[in-house]
Amino acid sequence: NLTINETDRACAEKLAQAIADAYGSDVVLAGAPDGRRPGNLPQRDAMGRLANRSGKTEVALDESVGEIVVSKSRFPAGKSRRRIRTSEVRRLEFGCDVRGPYESLSVWAIVGSEEERLAVASYTGYEGWADFEEWRNFTRDLGRSLGVEARTEL
């Protein structure tokens, strides 16, 4: 009997090495089966807005109107909406969080003097699937479009 916890990287690597040794192969530590995949960037809706939903909160960036709309679902019914001018965005930050076999890439708008963080774009998938450079370029382009600094270093 062999129990493997795929989130235990050391165990998975030892097992992969043992199998590779038995068959005379090399272990390739590449993350996703086919390597990183481009095309995981968020798509704009029909009106050109970037919309990101996380739990009960939805953040929509509408560059043409110059605002970010933050909507939160309220129990038992209804929504609260808050509008923030894009001129209040101080900078954009690109971030990555890895939990077990999943990674989450996010572009955060840092807003106001309190520097509130609003996720304007995000992707969650298996670790190694998203192309970091593609997301960094997306963050830089969005920062140029909004006229703010874009921090892309992890």
Side-chain angles (χ1 to χ4, degrees):
N1 277 344
L2 180 63
T3 302
I4 300 173
N5 179 356
E6 74 178 49
T7 59
D8 183 356
R9 293 169 188 262
C11 175
E13 188 174 349
K14 286 178 187 176
L15 177 64
Q17 190 62 52
I19 293 170
D21 289 345
Y23 288 97
S25 298
D26 293 328
V27 174
V28 178
L29 303 174
D34 297 329
R36 295 199 178 274
R37 301 176 186 176
N40 297 322
L41 294 176
Q43 299 298 314
R44 294 181 183 266
D45 66 9
M47 295 175 61
R49 297 176 298 196
L50 276 176
N52 183 51
R53 182 176 295 257
S54 176
K56 293 183 177 186
T57 303
E58 182 177 329
V59 177
L61 170 63
D62 192 344
E63 293 176 72
S64 62
V65 177
E67 69 181 11
I68 299 172
V69 179
V70 181
S71 303
K72 292 185 180 181
S73 298
R74 298 285 183 194
F75 180 79
K79 275 188 177 182
S80 69
R81 284 200 175 105
R82 184 169 54 121
R83 297 184 189 293
I84 301 167
R85 302 291 309 161
T86 54
S87 58
E88 293 182 46
V89 176
R90 293 177 167 263
R91 67 182 176 276
L92 295 178
E93 292 181 356
F94 168 68
C96 177
D97 181 37
V98 177
R99 293 187 182 177
Y102 300 105
E103 68 185 355
S104 296
L105 305 179
S106 301
V107 177
W108 300 90
I110 309 302
V111 178
S113 58
E114 302 84 27
E115 297 200 346
E116 178 183 4
R117 293 170 49 113
L118 300 173
V120 293
S122 66
Y123 164 79
T124 300
Y126 286 110
E127 182 181 6
W129 284 22
D131 184 2
F132 277 50
E133 197 55 39
E134 184 178 43
W135 274 83
R136 284 187 178 104
N137 290 335
F138 171 77
T139 305
R140 288 182 199 116
D141 292 344
L142 188 57
R144 255 185 252 113
S145 170
L146 295 173
V148 297
E149 172 191 10
R151 295 184 182 172
T152 60
E153 299 306 316
L154 295 176

